[in-house]
Amino acid sequence: MSIKINHLKHVYNAGTIFEKTALYDINITIQTGEFIGLIGHTGSGKSTLIQHLNGTISPTEGEILLDDENIHKDKAKLREVRQRIGLAFQYPEHQLFEMTVYKDVAFGPSNMKLSEQEIDKRVREALQTVGLSESVYEKSPFELSGGQKRRVAIAGVLAMNPEVLILDEPTAGLDPKGRDEILYAIKKLHEKRGITIILVSHSMEDVAKLADRLIVMEKGRVAMTGTPKEVFARVEELEKIGLAAPQISYVLAELKQKGYDLPNDIYTVEEAVKALYTLLKGEEKL
Amino acid sequence: MIRDITIGQYYPVNSPIHRMDARVKLIITFLFIVTLFTVNTFLGYLFVVLCMAAVIKTSKVPLKFMLKGIKGIFIIIAFTAFINVFMTRGENILFEWGIFTVTTEGILIAIKMCIRLVLLVIGSSILTLTTTPIQLTDAIEYILRPFKKIGVPAHEIAMMMTIALRFIPTLLDETDKIMKAQQARGADFDSGNLLQRAKSLIPILVPLFISAFRRADELAMAMEARCYHGDENKTRMNVMVLKQSDYKAIVILVAYCIALIVLRFATTRYFII
């Protein structure tokens, strides 16, 4: 399923003194199975953009095509669109409300009026995917740790079996362990189920590691798109708009300046480890 | 949708009304509301409307914002009109059906009542649109100060109001966010019968309450961390001082009140409706 965004413009509070244009003329196409990293400074329009994708806000101008069909053409179909494009907001654990973890995850599928067996299947699957064991199913979501709560909330969206999953800073405010657990679950989802993922993030490390393609937003416009390597190669431009390349690339740049022979395009720790290892092994031989 | 509520919605422009001392504005609004009940003729209302138009013009706030508040009390206005039209006894009976009688007097009273309600709402909207909530509660605290001697916790009341007002937009944003998030999970708020609709509010209300409690907790902690201990020996960042323009406003207010009294006596004497 492809998503096509054509000349999207969004103005908040149009016609009042509080008027603010959040997006100007956005054109993006997202293919099935892609893993997109959406990066940009606070207030660059990332959140506004992703809320358009599942129709929670409507464009001031332009259109969003889902398989060549405008999602706002038929209001009755919006619910179907929201089911196909799952959106987990920032701090999704703030939306938990049920008595038990199981019931909260079941909220989405039961709104789809599925059979009880189907709901049960989906809830279990979703909770397994995010790596929560059966021992927490009957616990209150409010008893869990921050990372667990967030995984319950993401499972709530997953249980609707979306074809596209949009996550707005899923790791914000979590400890390193919680962060790794969430990112691992997302990676697994993309690899095993082939779900299209759009990950909004402030962490260059995370998107460098996970995304196939990056979209960089600045002041309501798309500033760059390309593979992580292509985007991070333009580090000066990134720094100008308040972003940066992953930290490891700065470490390698310093090493290169000191005269070590290292490749230019390394943006993840894993790659860096490999490159340094080869370098050291080479030196040993000499 | 949620944004249509004007209470606490300050409209940020620079106008003589915005610059006025909040205490003066508060007293003027209070007196405006009280004196509005002495007006009982169309001529009187015309005078009030003209004065109000002048104030709105000076405030530079678009009329659209002033009128927004009326939408909220539309039902009350309609109900008042209904009761007055059908329940007022009078001599010129136009129409009769069971306990319902429509009289010329009834219609006139209904119209006057509606004008009065609309003016009341607009009058208080002028205050809230031109005064920041913080200025307003500071003014309330100042005005309540004399009552401290009889045990009115003026500072605490003002602080509670400040906090409550401060959190209205925050909680509105929060509600908006929660609604969107639950919609993303297929929640449906506007179909089904009354019971189903009431039930569909649970996924909004539970997270909203939890977040309100969390915020309250955090705020209390932050206040304590900054050594807040109530009113004692507290100094102010913004000390309220009356300016020349405020004295002018007070003079205009007195003139307005006198005009209303004169109008009232004149109209009763010459039987103007």
Side-chain angles (χ1 to χ4, degrees):
Chain A
M1 180 181 57
S2 71
I3 303 172
K4 206 167 172 211
I5 302 166
N6 277 337
H7 302 290
L8 176 66
K9 183 183 176 183
H10 191 82
V11 184
Y12 281 114
N13 298 312
T16 70
I17 196 163
F18 306 105
E19 180 171 306
K20 191 178 175 295
T21 307
L23 296 174
Y24 304 84
D25 196 33
I26 303 279
N27 295 287
I28 300 172
T29 306
I30 294 161
Q31 302 295 348
T32 315
E34 268 193 297
F35 195 129
I36 304 255
L38 185 60
I39 54 179
H41 207 257
T42 311
S44 61
K46 295 170 300 196
S47 292
T48 311
L49 176 65
I50 56 168
Q51 286 179 43
H52 276 94
L53 293 181
N54 83 336
T56 24
I57 47 183
S58 3
T60 313
E61 273 169 40
E63 54 183 8
I64 295 124
L65 303 176
L66 184 62
D67 285 339
D68 297 321
E69 199 175 332
N70 189 338
I71 61 165
H72 285 284
K73 202 179 83 188
D74 186 358
K75 289 277 164 218
K77 274 200 176 162
L78 255 182
R79 277 185 81 178
E80 194 198 310
V81 170
R82 287 184 187 146
Q83 181 261 306
R84 291 174 65 187
I85 303 183
L87 172 58
F89 281 85
Q90 227 168 352
Y91 299 105
E93 64 272 29
H94 290 177
Q95 278 95 53
L96 299 174
F97 69 97
E98 272 288 6
M99 303 287 283
T100 68
V101 168
Y102 182 92
K103 277 193 198 160
D104 207 284
V105 177
F107 179 66
S110 31
N111 281 328
M112 291 162 69
K113 311 219 161 44
L114 300 169
S115 71
E116 232 164 272
Q117 288 118 313
E118 180 65 22
I119 293 175
D120 183 68
K121 196 183 128 218
R122 286 192 179 192
V123 171
R124 281 170 197 282
E125 248 177 39
L127 282 166
Q128 249 165 32
T129 313
V130 297
L132 286 169
S133 67
E134 269 189 49
S135 58
V136 300
Y137 286 13
E138 293 308 315
K139 275 193 185 168
S140 160
F142 304 106
E143 291 172 33
L144 306 178
S145 73
Q148 283 176 320
K149 270 190 207 168
R150 191 159 303 173
R151 278 187 282 159
V152 171
I154 292 174
V157 178
L158 272 183
M160 298 177 74
N161 270 0
E163 295 159 56
V164 179
L165 180 62
I166 308 170
L167 298 138
D168 193 352
E169 287 187 50
T171 57
L174 290 185
D175 53 23
K177 185 165 168 275
R179 207 190 67 199
D180 287 346
E181 284 165 351
I182 300 248
L183 290 177
Y184 177 70
I186 296 169
K187 197 174 160 210
K188 218 169 63 179
L189 262 174
H190 178 64
E191 283 165 3
K192 293 217 173 117
R193 287 216 231 163
I195 295 181
T196 312
I197 304 237
I198 302 173
L199 176 70
V200 178
S201 182
H202 272 136
S203 158
M204 302 302 138
E205 283 72 29
D206 294 352
V207 290
K209 204 156 56 180
L210 296 166
D212 308 324
R213 184 154 72 99
L214 296 187
I215 296 172
V216 185
M217 303 265 307
E218 194 217 354
K219 292 184 185 147
R221 292 187 171 86
V222 175
M224 295 177 218
T225 64
T227 62
K229 287 200 189 230
E230 284 164 11
V231 169
F232 289 134
R234 296 157 75 179
V235 61
E236 280 105 24
E237 284 171 71
L238 280 175
E239 281 171 358
K240 233 177 257 167
I241 59 177
L243 300 170
Q247 282 165 352
I248 191 72
S249 70
Y250 292 93
V251 175
L252 291 186
E254 294 262 316
L255 283 172
K256 270 179 69 119
Q257 258 188 358
K258 298 232 157 104
Y260 292 98
D261 179 30
L262 285 160
N264 257 329
D265 57 343
I266 287 180
Y267 300 108
T268 67
V269 177
E270 287 77 11
E271 283 177 317
V273 168
K274 251 187 231 163
L276 287 172
Y277 186 67
T278 4
L279 185 80
L280 289 173
K281 247 168 91 178
E283 272 182 3
E284 252 170 46
K285 272 181 196 160
L286 283 173
Chain B
M1 167 184 73
I2 299 175
R3 297 237 151 247
D4 287 344
I5 305 163
T6 25
I7 294 167
Q9 283 260 26
Y10 176 65
Y11 190 88
V13 282
N14 191 5
S15 80
I17 309 280
H18 283 71
R19 284 192 299 270
M20 259 167 73
D21 190 298
R23 290 169 294 176
V24 177
K25 274 191 271 190
L26 193 67
I27 292 168
I28 290 180
T29 311
F30 181 71
L31 279 176
F32 167 78
I33 288 170
V34 173
T35 53
L36 195 58
F37 287 92
T38 67
V39 181
N40 58 352
T41 61
F42 285 111
L43 190 67
Y45 282 122
L46 183 69
F47 174 70
V48 177
V49 168
L50 287 178
C51 291
M52 189 177 250
V55 173
I56 293 175
K57 187 95 183 105
T58 341
S59 77
K60 292 184 192 162
V61 178
L63 192 65
K64 203 177 91 190
F65 278 82
M66 297 283 177
L67 300 179
K68 251 186 181 173
I70 298 174
K71 242 195 285 173
I73 63 149
F74 181 76
I75 293 172
I76 299 173
I77 294 178
F79 184 71
T80 313
F82 177 83
I83 294 285
N84 277 300
V85 167
F86 290 105
M87 296 300 175
T88 313
R89 305 258 167 263
E91 282 160 11
N92 289 316
I93 294 168
L94 299 174
F95 174 80
E96 208 164 357
W97 186 74
I99 54 159
F100 298 110
T101 42
V102 178
T103 62
T104 330
E105 287 89 343
I107 292 176
L108 286 177
I109 288 180
I111 295 172
K112 283 178 186 167
M113 277 305 209
C114 292
I115 296 175
R116 187 177 283 174
L117 279 173
V118 169
L119 288 175
L120 278 177
V121 172
I122 298 179
S124 32
S125 289
I126 295 177
L127 176 69
T128 51
L129 283 165
T130 62
T131 320
T132 61
I134 302 294
Q135 288 173 336
L136 204 57
T137 42
D138 273 355
I140 291 170
E141 181 178 352
Y142 187 89
I143 289 166
L144 286 180
R145 218 187 264 172
F147 299 102
K148 239 185 191 170
K149 290 202 181 73
I150 55 162
V152 177
H155 173 76
E156 283 72 15
I157 291 175
M159 182 54 84
M160 279 194 279
M161 283 174 63
T162 311
I163 292 172
L165 286 168
R166 159 67 185 77
F167 277 97
I168 289 174
T170 312
L171 289 177
L172 283 180
D173 279 346
E174 187 90 27
T175 314
D176 198 45
K177 219 173 104 187
I178 294 171
M179 278 175 80
K180 279 180 183 164
Q182 305 298 25
Q183 270 173 351
R185 292 211 274 163
D188 184 5
F189 306 122
D190 14 59
S191 61
N193 60 35
L194 203 64
L195 190 71
Q196 278 165 330
R197 280 195 203 196
K199 257 183 148 175
S200 74
L201 286 179
I202 294 174
I204 303 172
L205 290 180
V206 173
L208 190 62
F209 268 90
I210 292 171
S211 113
F213 282 121
R214 190 184 57 237
R215 279 177 203 284
D217 231 20
E218 282 167 7
L219 181 70
M221 206 86 89
M223 283 168 82
E224 211 146 10
R226 289 168 207 188
C227 303
Y228 175 79
H229 54 90
D231 195 18
E232 273 163 72
N233 304 324
K234 182 174 173 284
T235 54
R236 304 188 159 275
M237 190 167 89
N238 303 308
V239 180
M240 289 178 285
V241 190
L242 287 180
K243 295 178 294 286
Q244 206 191 358
S245 55
D246 296 313
Y247 290 111
K248 275 186 202 157
I250 294 170
V251 172
I252 294 172
L253 174 74
V254 172
Y256 169 83
C257 291
I258 293 172
L260 278 187
I261 295 165
V262 171
L263 260 176
R264 167 102 195 191
F265 281 110
T267 47
T268 352
R269 174 165 298 176
Y270 299 108
F271 301 106
I272 303 169
I273 54 164

